[in-house]
Amino acid sequence: MNQEISTEFNGQEISAEYSVDDDILHVYLPDGEIQTTELRGLKPKSAAMMHLKSYASRKCKSSR
């Protein structure tokens, strides 16, 4: 079952879904990209948020 996270970046709300399969986090970013991370004790929501914030930062840079 997928969970959803959201963050605000430069006044824009950005959301993504994530799921965990065994110890692997899958983050489904708004552009269709899927990023994965082996959790090794990390909290899934925190790790997913890092992927989302990185995506937001890249998106902001590419739109300038």
Side-chain angles (χ1 to χ4, degrees):
M1 186 167 144
N2 292 352
Q3 304 277 337
E4 187 172 355
I5 53 170
S6 297
T7 189
E8 188 173 314
F9 192 83
N10 288 343
Q12 185 177 35
E13 180 136 346
I14 301 172
S15 299
E17 291 188 357
Y18 69 94
S19 64
V20 177
D21 183 28
D22 290 321
D23 198 38
I24 305 295
L25 170 73
H26 305 274
V27 182
Y28 309 96
L29 297 171
D31 65 356
E33 180 182 359
I34 301 171
Q35 293 189 354
T36 60
T37 297
E38 188 173 352
L39 291 170
R40 295 184 182 191
L42 295 173
K43 294 181 180 177
K45 187 174 182 176
S46 296
M49 187 61 76
M50 293 304 296
H51 283 287
L52 184 58
K53 287 181 177 182
S54 176
Y55 165 83
S57 179
R58 288 192 318 266
K59 180 181 175 188
C60 181
K61 286 180 183 177
S62 66
S63 66
R64 286 185 182 176

